[in-house]
Amino acid sequence: MTVGLDPAEDPSYARAERSTPMPFVVAGCMSRLFEAGLIATDSAVAQSSLADWRAGTGDLAALREGLVEFAIRIYVEWKESSFKKEALLPSRIGYRLVRVADGKIVAEGSADGPPDSEDAALHPEKEAAKAGAASIASCVELLTTLAKGDPL
C-alpha cells in the first residue's frame, strides 16, 4: 500500500524569524508509516490557513500520477513554550486520511501535542517527532487493516 504524507501549517510561520520543527513532525510520521510496513512519500510543507486546509483534500492529481493510494493530510498548530520562548511545540495536529482515487475522506480527527514543560522546551525537535508519529496512529492502524484486504 502506498501513502502520501501531505503536511501543512499556517503561512505566518514561513515568514517568521525562526522556523518550526515541522521537519521533525514529518520525520515522526514517516517513521511510523515505515515501521508499519507501508510505502510512504511526503510532499513539501504547504502554507495554508486552518480554514483552507479543512475545506480541501489536497493535490490528489499529483498523488494519482505517483500511484499513491491514500493521502494523510496533517495540519500542525504551534504554540510557544512558556519555559523557553524560542521553542515552538505542536499544540494540535489535525489529520485526514483521504482515498486518492475518489477523494473520499476515510478518517479524520486531531491529536494534542505534548504538554508544555521544561524538558519539551529543551527538546522541541524530539517532541515534534513523537507528536507526529502519535498524530497519525489511527490512520496507520486503518491502513494496515486495509492492506490485509479488509474493506472500508
Side-chain angles (χ1 to χ4, degrees):
M1 174 154 314
T2 55
V3 181
L5 181 69
D6 186 16
E9 65 184 358
D10 190 273
S12 64
Y13 293 106
R15 297 184 297 270
E17 292 178 18
R18 63 187 164 175
S19 61
T20 66
M22 180 64 99
F24 296 93
V25 171
V26 170
C29 291
M30 296 299 283
S31 292
R32 185 68 170 256
L33 291 164
F34 292 140
E35 288 167 5
L38 299 166
I39 299 167
T41 185
D42 64 317
S43 59
V45 176
Q47 304 300 314
S48 173
S49 71
L50 181 57
D52 288 344
W53 180 83
R54 284 183 176 146
T57 55
D59 183 6
L60 298 180
L63 292 172
R64 279 186 205 104
E65 189 175 298
L67 304 176
V68 173
E69 296 167 89
F70 288 90
I72 298 177
R73 301 187 70 230
I74 62 168
Y75 189 91
V76 182
E77 298 174 66
W78 300 99
K79 63 183 174 190
E80 283 186 350
S81 171
S82 62
F83 293 91
K84 184 178 176 189
K85 292 295 181 200
E86 308 84 55
L88 287 174
L89 301 171
S91 62
R92 179 176 299 273
I93 301 177
Y95 63 85
R96 275 191 175 160
L97 179 61
V98 180
R99 187 169 48 209
V100 173
D102 60 7
K104 178 182 179 189
I105 297 171
V106 177
E108 65 183 318
S110 64
D112 290 333
D116 189 14
S117 68
E118 191 169 353
D119 187 57
L122 291 173
H123 307 286
E125 295 87 1
K126 180 178 89 173
E127 295 299 325
K130 289 190 321 190
S135 71
I136 65 165
S138 62
C139 293
V140 170
E141 185 177 325
L142 181 56
L143 288 167
T144 55
T145 300
L146 292 171
K148 294 175 186 173
D150 293 344
L152 282 177

